[in-house]
Amino acid sequence: SESERDKDEL
Amino acid sequence: MNIFRLLGDLSHLLAVIILLLKIWKTRSCAGISGRSQILFAAVYTARYLDLVTSYISAYNTVMKIVFLVASYGTLYLMFLKFKATYDHNHDTFRIEFLVLPCVILALLINHDFSALEILWTFSIYLESVAILPQLFMVSKTGEAESITSHYLFALGTYRGLYLFNWIYRYYAEDHYDLIAIIAGIVQTVLYCDFFYLYITKVLKGKKLQLPA
């Protein structure tokens, strides 16, 4: 959803 | 994890391996901007501090460690082991003009005003422009070795593939992160001129040489 950062992306 | 994300990570991995191998095999870091490499080390350090605070997956942990080790390994080769081959006369881009605006922007535009989040945001902004000293060096000397061109192509492709990952995720998962997306667009756009030269020259077996 809106603008939450994904901690899995490098 | 979708195919664009995986290919993006692999492209990123390929880039750092090409760079390390180039320096190691030729025993020289000629044509490589130490200033860009310092910025990349700062990017990985600021972004991957969460290695010690949160565990995501084995893949995530291993990749973060590889990028950190490769980045500091590159700095070691450039500034210590093969220091004599470092072309500092052509590596003159003022990195404070990149770092300071990124610090200010990270303090102003972030997801959450906490130390780790601000460092993550700073790393995203800094990564988007970290290649500028390298591109400036290529433009200053007017050329780049083929292996340096392959490195730049793989490194530029990586964030371009992340853009496709984010487009996919927007439609498939209703997920988007404007900070990462806008910085990713800036980062990819900076490579466009280089991509054009790479495709029209390097892939046809010619050396990357800028018009006089």
Side-chain angles (χ1 to χ4, degrees):
Chain A
S1 302
E2 207 271 308
S3 266
E4 247 314 291
R5 83 169 173 95
D6 179 349
K7 291 191 165 66
D8 180 39
E9 288 190 351
L10 291 163
Chain B
M1 172 80 75
N2 57 64
I3 188 70
F4 304 112
R5 163 77 202 283
L6 180 65
L7 290 176
D9 287 348
L10 292 178
S11 181
H12 191 186
L13 193 61
L14 181 68
V16 299
I17 291 170
I18 288 173
L19 181 62
L20 277 173
L21 279 180
K22 172 215 144 55
I23 298 173
W24 188 256
K25 293 272 180 192
T26 62
R27 324 293 290 170
S28 163
C29 56
I32 302 299
S33 165
R35 292 176 185 232
S36 276
Q37 295 308 315
I38 289 169
L39 295 182
F40 283 122
V43 164
Y44 302 133
T45 308
R47 191 175 308 168
Y48 298 157
L49 281 174
D50 66 357
L51 262 177
V52 288
T53 61
S54 52
Y55 177 82
I56 310 290
S57 66
Y59 174 85
N60 184 278
T61 301
V62 170
M63 291 297 259
K64 283 174 175 170
I65 292 172
V66 167
F67 289 131
L68 278 167
V69 170
S71 173
Y72 282 96
T74 305
L75 290 186
Y76 164 73
L77 294 181
M78 288 195 75
F79 291 103
L80 293 167
K81 194 165 175 67
F82 302 124
K83 192 177 185 235
T85 65
Y86 171 44
D87 191 6
H88 59 84
N89 289 332
H90 289 122
D91 192 18
T92 52
F93 196 97
R94 299 280 296 272
I95 55 176
E96 58 271 37
F97 292 148
L98 301 178
V99 175
L100 288 177
C102 289
V103 169
I104 294 165
L105 208 56
L107 289 169
L108 295 175
I109 306 173
N110 52 58
H111 291 311
D112 180 33
F113 202 80
S114 66
L116 270 185
E117 277 303 309
I118 289 167
L119 281 167
W120 177 84
T121 313
F122 166 71
S123 84
I124 291 289
Y125 295 150
L126 188 61
E127 184 187 350
S128 70
V129 293
I131 202 60
L132 284 175
Q134 179 65 61
L135 294 176
F136 180 70
M137 195 173 178
V138 171
S139 75
K140 220 176 167 192
T141 58
E143 58 180 39
E145 286 177 63
S146 292
I147 190 75
T148 306
S149 302
H150 301 324
Y151 160 70
L152 281 169
F153 185 74
L155 195 63
T157 303
Y158 134 67
R159 218 55 176 174
L161 286 163
Y162 259 72
L163 291 181
F164 287 102
N165 155 54
W166 292 322
I167 292 168
Y168 174 86
R169 295 193 64 190
Y170 176 75
Y171 289 107
E173 300 164 25
D174 198 26
H175 168 94
Y176 68 99
D177 177 342
L178 280 178
I179 289 176
I181 291 170
I182 292 169
I185 291 171
V186 170
Q187 186 167 338
T188 306
V189 165
L190 291 182
Y191 285 87
C192 283
D193 191 37
F194 167 79
F195 284 152
Y196 174 77
L197 291 169
Y198 184 83
I199 291 163
T200 56
K201 295 201 171 175
V202 182
L203 289 184
K204 288 176 183 156
K206 288 184 240 163
K207 192 173 175 169
L208 189 133
Q209 219 153 8
L210 301 179

